[in-house]
Amino acid sequence: MAGRYLAMDHPVDADLVVGVPESGNAAALGYSLQSGIPYGTAFVKNSYVGRTFIKPKQSSRESSVRVKLNVLKEAVEGKRVIMIDDSIVRGTTSDRIVHMLREAGAKEVHMRVSSPPFLWPCYFGTDVPAREQLIAYNRTVEEICTDHRS
């Protein structure tokens, strides 16, 4: 349902809708169904790499993303891609993934997120020691979008 609402609230002209595995796939499918833009697979996920956002150092988080996800160049090359993820914690993983899609030849990358901003650490599963590390800390959604466009 979240993906359908994203398509209604934040439409964009594109060639392909993809989810960031596994958590973004359901919303990406909903976006695709609502918008009529084809749903596809752009990533192959290495199941042996854990959650990248909980790594203690920034450098570890960035290198883990490259090991965790591989872009299927044939799927995205020359296309306008809508990439949907379930959430953004720090923003570093999302930034890396968008960069990887561009390196693989995506003509455009439009990111959509199916959850509200992550504003508080969760002591029951998300290992973020301080609020200041969250991308949504002291930023509006518009500021996050503007600050992270490249």
Side-chain angles (χ1 to χ4, degrees):
M1 209 52 164
R4 287 183 180 271
Y5 284 115
L6 278 174
M8 290 185 274
D9 294 342
H10 302 286
V12 66
D13 205 16
D15 305 307
L16 181 68
V17 180
V18 301
V20 176
E22 304 294 325
S23 56
N25 292 342
L29 182 57
Y31 194 105
S32 170
L33 292 170
Q34 183 66 38
S35 67
I37 299 169
Y39 172 81
T41 300
F43 304 102
V44 174
K45 182 179 175 186
N46 180 340
S47 302
Y48 299 102
V49 177
R51 305 297 300 254
T52 54
F53 66 84
I54 62 173
K55 302 277 185 196
K57 293 183 180 177
Q58 176 63 24
S59 59
S60 300
R61 290 190 292 271
E62 289 180 13
S63 63
S64 292
V65 171
R66 280 238 181 245
V67 173
K68 180 179 181 176
L69 293 175
N70 292 295
V71 178
L72 298 170
K73 184 176 182 170
E74 302 78 22
V76 301
E77 192 170 30
K79 294 185 179 165
R80 299 167 298 162
V81 178
I82 301 170
M83 180 189 88
I84 301 186
D85 206 348
D86 70 325
S87 63
I88 303 176
V89 178
R90 289 184 176 96
T92 54
T93 300
S94 302
D95 190 50
R96 259 335 289 142
I97 296 170
V98 169
H99 185 73
M100 289 166 59
L101 286 169
R102 288 184 177 150
E103 282 180 333
K107 192 180 346 178
E108 297 173 7
V109 179
H110 302 273
M111 183 167 178
R112 301 293 184 264
V113 180
S114 63
S115 71
F118 194 151
L119 297 171
W120 296 93
C122 172
Y123 299 102
F124 297 110
T126 305
D127 186 19
V128 178
R131 259 186 96 194
E132 293 78 18
Q133 293 181 3
L134 300 172
I135 194 170
Y137 175 75
N138 260 356
R139 288 187 189 100
T140 66
V141 171
E142 278 305 311
E143 288 170 333
I144 293 167
C145 292
T146 303
D147 290 348
H148 289 83
R149 285 190 181 131
S150 27

